Amino acid sequence: DTEVTQTPKHLVMGMTNKKSLKCEQHMGHRAMYWYKQKAKKPPELMFVYSYEKLSINESVPSRFSPECPNSSLLNLHLHALQPEDSALYLCASSLAGEENIQYFGAGTRLSVL
Amino acid sequence: RKEVEQDPGPFNVPEGATVAFNCTYSNSASQSFFWYRQDCRKEPKLLMSVYSSGNEDGRFTAQLNRASQYISLLIRDSKLSDSATYLCVGPSGGSYIPTFGRGTSLIVHP
């Protein structure tokens, strides 16, 4: 069982909708990540938060907006997405300084119609 | 050139076989590597770390070859449950954030 919890597990949204993905961990990890994964591809890093501050944005379009309200929570706000944004969105966390050892949530499978 | 490269496979092997995957890396200064396992439609999970002295965990052995800049994962006595995608992870150049290889698909059949 994963110690990183993501909700919802599945999400279907239209291109004009606004939705949010949520991620929670209680392992005391101070680094949290959002990844996007398409079928048969590796996870593609989107954002990194370190000590609740955005430290890396991998040139992600502004229709994806991350937020880290506290050290346990990470959100990804979605607005005006495109069908090509349909993918599995994975959240992960790690100890700061041990970024290679990441714990992943089960992901949110997103379909944009 | 990608920092970390893997043969996507699939590797099709019978139960009980020994199978090995390699992963090449481009940054000669890289020190730490890891293997992750991802089952179909599930999240990646850390399998094991890779040390230059080798790392063995049951049927799994991981090694780092600095001279040739590759890491390997050896699985002995393959089980049906070993069927998964194995992702090689190493540091990206100039960053502390790891980069994932594209993964190698393993299918173990009866």
Side-chain angles (χ1 to χ4, degrees), chain B residues 3-74:
Chain B
E3 301 281 349
V4 172
E5 303 221 34
Q6 294 181 254
D7 178 350
F11 284 62
N12 255 289
V13 303
E15 267 185 293
T18 294
V19 62
F21 317 129
N22 286 343
C23 168
T24 57
Y25 62 92
S26 58
N27 185 350
S28 59
S30 298
Q31 302 263 356
S32 58
F33 296 90
F34 297 80
W35 284 102
Y36 279 71
R37 170 194 168 128
Q38 187 170 22
D39 292 295
C40 187
R41 302 181 72 82
K42 299 277 192 176
E43 74 275 19
K45 290 187 179 176
L46 180 66
L47 180 65
M48 58 197 305
S49 311
V50 187
Y51 309 124
S52 37
S53 57
N55 186 14
E56 187 171 320
D57 183 4
R59 298 181 293 108
F60 297 80
T61 300
Q63 290 211 292
L64 168 60
N65 185 313
R66 288 194 192 281
S68 302
Q69 292 188 208
Y70 73 88
I71 68 170
S72 63
L73 178 68
L74 179 79

Side-chain angles (χ1 to χ4, degrees), chain A residues 8-13 19-21 78 87 108-112:
Chain A
K9 289 192 181 344
H10 302 275
L11 180 61
V12 179
M13 60 186 290
K19 297 285 184 185
S20 296
L21 309 185
L78 315 173
T108 294
R109 198 160 293 280
L110 174 68
S111 296
V112 182

Side-chain angles (χ1 to χ4, degrees), chain A residues 1-2 10 33 35 37 40-43 45 48 50 55-56 88 90 99-102 104-107 109, chain B residues 2 32-34 36 38 41-46 49 87 89-91 95-103:
Chain A
D1 285 347
T2 184
H10 302 275
Y33 312 80
Y35 289 88
Q37 187 174 26
K40 300 192 187 301
K41 299 283 188 185
L45 184 66
V48 180
S50 180
S55 58
I56 292 181
L88 179 67
L90 292 160
E99 288 79 11
N100 279 314
I101 303 176
Q102 297 189 11
F104 284 82
R109 198 160 293 280
Chain B
K2 255 186 93 59
S32 58
F33 296 90
F34 297 80
Y36 279 71
Q38 187 170 22
R41 302 181 72 82
K42 299 277 192 176
E43 74 275 19
K45 290 187 179 176
L46 180 66
S49 311
L87 297 155
V89 176
S95 166
Y96 60 91
I97 297 301
T99 187
F100 283 79
R102 61 184 297 185

